Amino acid sequence: MLKFKSLGSGSSGNATLVEATAGPGSTPVRLLVDCGLGIRQLALRLGEAGLQIEDLDAVFITHEHGDHIGCARTVALRYRIPVWMSQGTHAAIGSADFEGLLRTACDGAAIDLGGLQLTPFAVPHDAREPLQLSCTDGAVKLGVLTDLGHATAHVMAHLQSCHALLLECNHDLELLAGSAYPDFLKRRVGGQHGHLSNIAAAEIARALQHAGLRHLVAAHLSAHNNRPELAQEALSQVTHFDKHLIGVADARTGTPWLQV
Ligand SMILES: [Zn+2]
Ligand SMILES: [Zn+2]
C-alpha cells in the first residue's frame, strides 16, 4: 500500500510524506520528499500526521532552494537519517558535510528503499541539478512534480501511468502579469526555468490522465498569484476530475493522507 501526505506546499516551504507498507503487520517505509521547513514546524506537522522525525527512513531533496532543503542537514545529522540529492544540489549548498549520510541521486537511476522505489528525473528549473521523482511500491505509482518551468518529453515519459499526481500549479497567468512583482521576477517565475502556470499544469494533467489516475493534487500555489479554485478549475477542465475532487496542498496544512 502506498499513501502520501503533503505537510505544506508553496514558496514558504515544501515537504511531502510518502509511506509504503507491504502488507498487514509489516513495517512501513517512510520517505520525506523535501524538507523545506524549520525543524520545529517539521516536528509539529509530522506530529499532526501521527509521526515523529525519527520515524523517517530517508529524505529526498529535489533541489537547493530554501523552500525545499530547509532543515535537511539538521534532520540528517541529529536523527541519523540518510538524505538523497543530486550531486549538483549538494554542490550548490557548498558541498556540506553530511557525516556519511549523503546519498547521490541521479537522473533515471532508481533508488530502492526496500518496499519503496524512487525514480528521480531531471526537470528544467533555475537550480543547479534539480530532480523530481516518481515513487512506487511495485503496485501503484505516485508522481511528484513541482518546481519546473515547462514540461519536457523526459518529464512526461517518467510520469506515465501514475495513479496519483502532486502537480505544481504555481500561478495564474493574469494574476502574475497584474501582480506587484518586479518585471525580472515575473520573467523568472513565468520563464522556461521558473514555475508552472495553471494552464501549463493543466496541459500536463491532460496528457497524463488515464482511467487509473485516482488523485490529482495541485501544489506549490503562489500565495500572491494564484487561488485554489483557479487551479482546480484549470485542472478539472481538461481531466475527468470534478473541480471539488481535485486536491490542493495548502501552504500550512498540506493535504490529508491520500491512499494511492
Ligand atoms: Zn519551490
Ligand atoms: Zn525551486
Side-chain angles (χ1 to χ4, degrees), residues 14 63 67-68 147 195 220:
N14 296 273
H63 63 296
D67 57 323
H68 296 265
D147 295 71
H195 292 277
H220 215 298

Side-chain angles (χ1 to χ4, degrees), residues 16 27 35 68 135 146 151 165 167 178-179 199-200 204 226 231 233 237 254:
T16 305
T27 312
C35 198
H68 296 265
C135 308
T146 68
L165 189 59
L167 176 63
S179 77
I199 294 293
I204 292 171
N226 210 353
E233 181 75 46
Q237 277 176 4

Side-chain angles (χ1 to χ4, degrees), residues 69-240:
I69 199 153
C71 64
R73 187 161 173 271
T74 308
V75 165
L77 301 194
R78 197 177 291 175
Y79 298 92
R80 311 308 298 173
I81 297 169
V83 178
W84 296 82
M85 67 180 71
S86 70
Q87 217 165 35
T89 299
H90 186 228
I93 58 165
S95 302
D97 182 11
F98 277 76
E99 299 178 2
L101 292 159
L102 183 72
R103 308 283 184 270
T104 303
C106 303
D107 175 46
I111 296 166
D112 191 351
L113 298 177
L116 177 61
Q117 290 83 41
L118 323 177
T119 306
F121 53 88
V123 296
H125 186 55
D126 55 0
R128 187 81 69 94
E129 190 188 347
L131 299 169
Q132 294 291 323
L133 72 164
S134 66
C135 308
T136 181
D137 62 349
V140 289
K141 178 177 171 183
L142 161 70
V144 178
L145 187 67
T146 68
D147 295 71
L148 75 165
H150 66 282
T152 60
H154 186 65
V155 166
M156 299 307 281
H158 272 282
L159 291 175
Q160 291 299 313
S161 311
C162 282
H163 301 90
L165 189 59
L166 187 71
L167 176 63
E168 167 162 61
C169 289
N170 180 259
H171 56 276
D172 172 81
L173 288 173
E174 282 180 27
L175 287 180
L176 178 65
S179 77
Y181 278 21
D183 282 349
F184 82 88
L185 192 53
K186 287 181 188 176
R187 280 195 299 274
R188 193 232 130 196
V189 170
Q192 291 288 293
H193 287 76
H195 292 277
L196 291 180
S197 67
N198 292 339
I199 294 293
E203 196 48 42
I204 292 171
R206 187 193 58 74
L208 293 177
Q209 80 153 338
H210 61 109
L213 180 63
R214 289 194 280 270
H215 295 290
L216 182 57
V217 180
H220 215 298
L221 271 70
S222 165
H224 305 287
N225 304 319
N226 210 353
R227 291 197 298 271
E229 59 272 23
L230 294 176
Q232 289 170 311
E233 181 75 46
L235 296 180
S236 70
Q237 277 176 4
V238 295
T239 61
H240 60 267

